[in-house]
Amino acid sequence: METVLFAILGIAAILAALLTITSPSPIASALYLVGVMFSLAGLYVLLAAPFVAAIQVIVYAGAVIVLMLFVIMLLNLRPVEEKSAAGWQTAGIAVASLVLLTAFVAIMSASSQLAVVNDVPTTFGKTVEIGKLLYSRYLYAFEVVAVLLLLAIVGAVALIRKPDSADGDGEAHAD
Amino acid sequence: MQIELTHYLLLTAVLFAIGVMGVLTRKNLIVLLMSVEIMLNAVNLTFVAVARYTADLTGQVLVFFVMCVAAAEVAVGLAVLIALWRHRGTMHMDSFRLLKW
């Protein structure tokens, strides 16, 4: 059962990822990316990580992709002509294959040395357990991430302000 | 056949390579951001798989942090894209070559 689910979800993830990077329309790319996110969420459930699966769906499929779709539709993006040189495409595929080959060799040579635990406790990956870790050992990192998100909000708002409103501060408060 | 850690690691390697290919071959900046997301997700899957097969929850906590950073990255990245769009009216990567030597 687990094997069948892994095969289905894995193949779905790979196919959706390939369609994401090959489809000419950005909207279609974003929708295929949702497929990648959902397949990965399913794999997280298989890997005893229900909390991670939930935030994968909520944060990625729910927030990140919707943000991208908003931007694509707001800017009314049409497919840009991708007439890059064929040599550049080949180089890209070659580099990606090289990355893949390196990873394969590394994984295959290390796979015999991995200390593998086949059974995990039933509470493994539950929200309570992750919450305990977040608020004890990783408390500082948690707080720093909160500051990072605040900075990202402020930075994003500052970046997309209209350039001519920079010196027109008084105009905004005129009436 | 029993699914093992190696199978998950191979799957993440394939996903990561697809992301690399997207970054290197596409010219649309939004699709470029999506390829980066695919790479981040491949790494997240590695974290979760290793966490499961070493029975150590630290991997899942790290995924939480990676997701926060990815969300911040997307927000700032899309803001940069909108600013670029206002200046140049295009999303084609070859239009932005001011820093290219």
Side-chain angles (χ1 to χ4, degrees):
Chain A
M1 184 61 189
E2 198 198 342
T3 312
V4 176
L5 279 176
F6 173 80
I8 292 173
L9 291 169
I11 291 170
I14 290 174
L15 279 184
L18 276 176
L19 285 167
T20 304
I21 66 160
T22 51
S23 81
S25 149
I27 293 213
S29 281
L31 293 179
Y32 286 127
L33 194 55
V34 177
V36 179
M37 302 307 175
F38 271 104
S39 314
L40 287 182
L43 287 172
Y44 293 157
V45 173
L46 280 185
L47 284 168
F51 173 72
V52 177
I55 58 172
Q56 169 88 2
V57 172
I58 294 170
V59 173
Y60 270 121
V64 168
I65 308 288
V66 169
L67 197 61
M68 284 185 167
L69 280 174
F70 264 141
V71 169
I72 295 169
M73 290 175 177
L74 271 177
L75 300 182
N76 194 16
L77 283 187
R78 287 168 302 280
V80 298
E81 71 286 5
E82 309 229 359
K83 282 190 199 129
S84 58
W88 185 239
Q89 298 273 350
T90 322
I93 293 171
V95 172
S97 315
L98 203 65
V99 169
L100 189 61
L101 187 72
T102 316
F104 266 35
V105 170
I107 291 165
M108 282 317 192
S109 61
S111 64
S112 59
Q113 302 160 21
L114 293 170
V116 167
V117 183
N118 277 320
D119 296 309
V120 290
T122 47
T123 57
F124 187 80
K126 294 283 189 300
T127 312
V128 176
E129 299 298 312
I130 293 178
K132 279 179 191 162
L133 269 182
L134 270 182
Y135 282 102
S136 57
R137 204 194 305 171
Y138 298 100
L139 182 62
Y140 290 121
F142 188 68
E143 299 293 339
V144 169
V145 156
V147 175
L148 173 79
L149 286 175
L150 178 68
L151 283 177
I153 296 170
V154 175
V157 171
L159 272 170
I160 61 169
R161 278 209 320 177
K162 285 231 184 281
D164 46 346
S165 71
D167 52 354
D169 241 6
E171 194 184 351
H173 303 293
D175 47 13
Chain B
M1 191 181 80
Q2 181 76 20
I3 293 297
E4 288 162 16
L5 178 55
T6 313
H7 301 117
Y8 281 102
L9 291 183
L10 292 178
L11 173 63
T12 64
V14 171
L15 280 177
F16 192 88
I18 290 174
V20 171
M21 197 167 90
V23 168
L24 290 176
T25 57
R26 292 302 299 263
K27 295 286 178 183
N28 191 329
L29 281 173
I30 285 218
V31 181
L32 223 80
L33 265 184
M34 292 179 197
S35 306
V36 174
E37 290 302 313
I38 292 178
M39 285 197 274
L40 280 167
N41 272 282
V43 175
N44 278 352
L45 184 56
T46 312
F47 272 132
V48 174
V50 174
R52 159 68 181 77
Y53 284 101
T54 54
D56 185 352
L57 262 185
T58 306
Q60 296 191 12
V61 177
L62 280 176
V63 168
F64 178 83
F65 291 132
V66 171
M67 277 188 189
C68 289
V69 174
E73 171 244 324
V74 165
V76 176
L78 287 175
V80 169
L81 287 198
I82 291 179
L84 282 173
W85 174 267
R86 284 199 185 132
H87 278 285
R88 301 288 176 90
T90 177
M91 277 286 155
H92 199 281
M93 207 166 63
D94 288 349
S95 315
F96 314 111
R97 53 196 341 166
L98 199 63
L99 292 179
K100 201 173 176 182
W101 46 272

